[in-house]
Amino acid sequence: MAELVYRPVIGAARTMFKALDLKIDTQGSENIPRTGGAVLVSNHISYLDFIFAGLTVLPQKRLVRFMAKDSVFKHRISGPLMRGMKHIPVDRKQGETAYAHALDSLRSGEIIGVFPEATISPSFTLKSFKSGAARMAQEAGVPLIPMALWGTQRLWTKGRPRNFRRQHIPVTMRVGEPMEAPADQYAGAITRRLRDRVQELLEAAQRAYPVRPKDANDTWWVPAHLGGTAPTAAQVREAETGRPAAAG
């Protein structure tokens, strides 16, 4: 029954992307397993990331059930759609329920989508990863599938207005080879390897990105270490905590 909602939503998304004339470049979809459970792990730079990440599995005729904060499920428009597509609400005060739900889905052969940074990264660089994705893969006995996307922040991200004008914005996505998550290894060590792999894929996506900022006013979407004016990770932490980064 879930696909009665999911597939029309995919069709609507593709129609919207075509209307916006987005230039979507995806490589590595063959790394998505055709059958069986897996944890798809991506960086997070836009409110639309789950839609784009979900596109990467379609060539293998798969769908992704994403874990997302429960407030999205309470919205009058997105809520019915998220529930209809069988995505998994996460109450950060009671995360055990969502975790158990995701485990059941993995064991039944579903692909679960996770953004291990938990929130959008305003610096457009990788934040630290939470270990939940690795622990789920370990307990369910399924692989981790690392991926990275780039360009989605230009459409809609934290602190910026939506840009749904027809501007031919490129979106670049790279999917890596499956990573095993052995049950006898420390989840933290697996998480560090996973983050390193997503970082490699992110850098590959950035190198492949076909455009650069048009002028000085268009550098906001480029990380500081690449010459842009996005805040650094340290500046983001300072803004969030109210304390200088050096103060801990």
Side-chain angles (χ1 to χ4, degrees):
M1 293 296 291
E3 281 52 82
L4 294 178
V5 176
Y6 211 134
R7 296 196 184 281
V9 169
I10 291 171
R14 283 175 156 168
T15 298
M16 181 182 76
F17 296 159
K18 184 175 182 179
L20 294 174
D21 195 29
L22 301 185
K23 308 301 183 183
I24 301 175
D25 169 22
T26 304
Q27 291 184 16
S29 287
E30 68 276 6
N31 291 317
I32 302 294
R34 286 189 174 274
T35 60
V39 182
L40 182 68
V41 178
S42 175
N43 64 317
H44 198 10
I45 53 176
S46 166
Y47 292 114
L48 302 176
D49 288 340
F50 76 98
I51 299 176
F52 286 97
L55 295 179
T56 64
V57 310
L58 296 182
Q60 300 292 70
K61 304 186 185 306
R62 302 297 304 273
L63 298 173
V64 185
R65 314 300 178 185
F66 284 96
M67 301 183 75
K69 59 184 180 180
D70 60 351
S71 60
V72 178
F73 291 78
K74 296 175 182 176
H75 190 275
R76 64 184 182 85
I77 296 175
S78 63
L81 293 175
M82 295 293 282
R83 290 190 294 273
M85 290 185 283
K86 304 302 181 184
H87 296 311
I88 302 173
V90 180
D91 181 344
R92 290 176 183 166
K93 294 180 180 179
Q94 297 179 324
E96 301 85 357
T97 300
Y99 187 87
H101 185 170
L103 272 182
D104 287 343
S105 296
L106 287 169
R107 288 166 176 158
S108 67
E110 298 275 13
I111 296 177
I112 298 297
V114 177
F115 298 104
E117 297 167 279
T119 58
I120 290 173
S121 171
S123 68
F124 309 131
T125 60
L126 286 190
K127 300 166 67 175
S128 61
F129 277 20
K130 298 185 181 300
S131 63
R135 291 187 288 109
M136 283 194 298
Q138 285 180 301
E139 290 191 49
V142 301
L144 294 154
I145 311 295
M147 71 160 288
L149 37 73
W150 189 247
T152 58
Q153 75 273 34
R154 299 178 64 196
L155 293 166
W156 191 13
T157 192
K158 183 182 288 187
R160 302 285 305 190
R162 288 172 292 189
N163 178 11
F164 289 166
R165 299 185 296 275
R166 188 178 171 88
Q167 293 187 323
H168 323 296
I169 291 174
V171 172
T172 303
M173 297 186 285
R174 297 292 181 263
V175 182
E177 295 181 356
M179 291 178 52
E180 296 301 318
D184 60 350
Q185 292 187 13
Y186 177 50
I190 297 172
T191 300
R192 286 191 291 274
R193 293 199 300 272
L194 176 64
R195 186 183 183 281
D196 288 346
R197 185 60 182 130
V198 173
Q199 178 66 39
E200 292 172 358
L201 293 165
L202 176 58
E203 292 173 4
Q206 290 168 336
R207 287 193 300 270
Y209 202 67
V211 302
R212 298 294 179 265
K214 294 176 293 186
D215 51 42
N217 294 322
D218 191 40
T219 59
W220 64 267
W221 55 272
V222 180
H225 75 278
L226 294 179
T229 54
T232 65
Q235 289 170 334
V236 172
R237 286 194 297 270
E238 182 175 344
E240 291 175 345
T241 63
R243 296 179 298 170

